[in-house]
């Protein structure tokens, strides 16, 4: 539960930091975050926001410090990490849910962002969680002595 609260707090802080963006870039960020699962392109997003794709791309890169696609992949990887931490969904399912077309592209992007594959990321969490349980059990056993 505390992990969930911390993640939600970080999400709110991040959303507040987006308040300093131009209305167009702010709208773009919200649109992307709400549609991560979709096959998003600059062209389609620009059409949805009623602007020219080149203008959207330049404005977004200028304000965000990264390209449209880099931001999109970054957000998809963050959402995937949350699924890997909090669900038992297969990695292939998670890849599709967050909007990656292929598992290999997902793995490549995730590895670049987190420095480890999705499988290693999940296994590390499972190992860490089971270690905490073992320590808690040992404390309980000790207290009962």
């Amino acid at each position: 539960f505390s992990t969930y609260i911390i993640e939600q707090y970080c999400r709110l802080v991040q959303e507040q930091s987006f308040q300093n963006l131009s209305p167009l870039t702010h709208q773009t960020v919200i649109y992307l975050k709400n549609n991560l699962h979709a096959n998003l392109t600059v062209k389609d997003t620009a059409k949805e926001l009623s602007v020219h794709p080149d203008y959207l791309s330049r404005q977004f890169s200028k304000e965000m410090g990264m390209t449209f696609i880099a931001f999109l992949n970054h957000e998809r990887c963050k959402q995937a990490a949350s699924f890997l931490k909090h669900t038992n969904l297969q990695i292939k399912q998670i890849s599709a849910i967050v909007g990656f077309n292929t598992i290999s592209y997902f793995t490549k992007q995730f590895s670049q962002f987190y420095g480890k594959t999705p499988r290693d990321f999940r296994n590390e969490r499972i190992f860490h969680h089971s270690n905490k349980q073992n320590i808690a059990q040992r404390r309980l056993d000790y207290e009962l002595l």
Side-chain angles (χ1 to χ4, degrees), residues 18-28 55 59 63:
F18 291 145
Q19 297 299 324
N20 296 331
L21 300 173
S22 70
L24 174 62
T25 302
H26 188 254
Q27 279 183 297
T28 304
Y55 177 72
Q59 190 70 20
E63 290 187 50

Side-chain angles (χ1 to χ4, degrees), residues 42 119 141:
V42 174
R119 177 170 280 111
D141 291 345

Side-chain angles (χ1 to χ4, degrees), residues 56-109:
L56 175 63
S57 184
R58 277 193 314 274
Q59 190 70 20
F60 190 88
S61 294
K62 179 179 164 186
E63 290 187 50
M64 297 301 292
M66 66 178 82
T67 66
F68 177 95
I69 295 299
F71 178 82
L72 184 58
N73 287 337
H74 178 90
E75 290 300 314
R76 285 176 170 164
C77 287
K78 288 190 327 189
Q79 188 176 42
S82 183
F83 279 116
L84 288 166
K85 284 181 195 175
H86 303 293
T87 73
N88 291 324
L89 291 171
Q90 293 179 354
I91 293 171
K92 185 176 181 178
Q93 291 174 301
I94 292 170
S95 171
I97 289 169
V98 300
F100 284 101
N101 292 329
T102 66
I103 188 88
S104 60
Y105 187 63
F106 166 60
T107 300
K108 178 181 176 185
Q109 293 300 312

Side-chain angles (χ1 to χ4, degrees), residues 95-141:
S95 171
I97 289 169
V98 300
F100 284 101
N101 292 329
T102 66
I103 188 88
S104 60
Y105 187 63
F106 166 60
T107 300
K108 178 181 176 185
Q109 293 300 312
F110 192 91
S111 297
Q112 286 178 348
F113 187 68
Y114 285 102
K116 56 189 83 165
T117 66
R119 177 170 280 111
D120 289 344
F121 184 90
R122 174 174 271 168
N123 289 342
E124 186 177 276
R125 178 195 56 90
I126 291 169
F127 175 76
H128 183 68
H129 181 69
S130 67
N131 239 7
K132 279 185 176 179
Q133 286 180 327
N134 290 341
I135 291 169
Q137 185 60 48
R138 278 185 260 154
R139 281 187 188 145
L140 182 61
D141 291 345

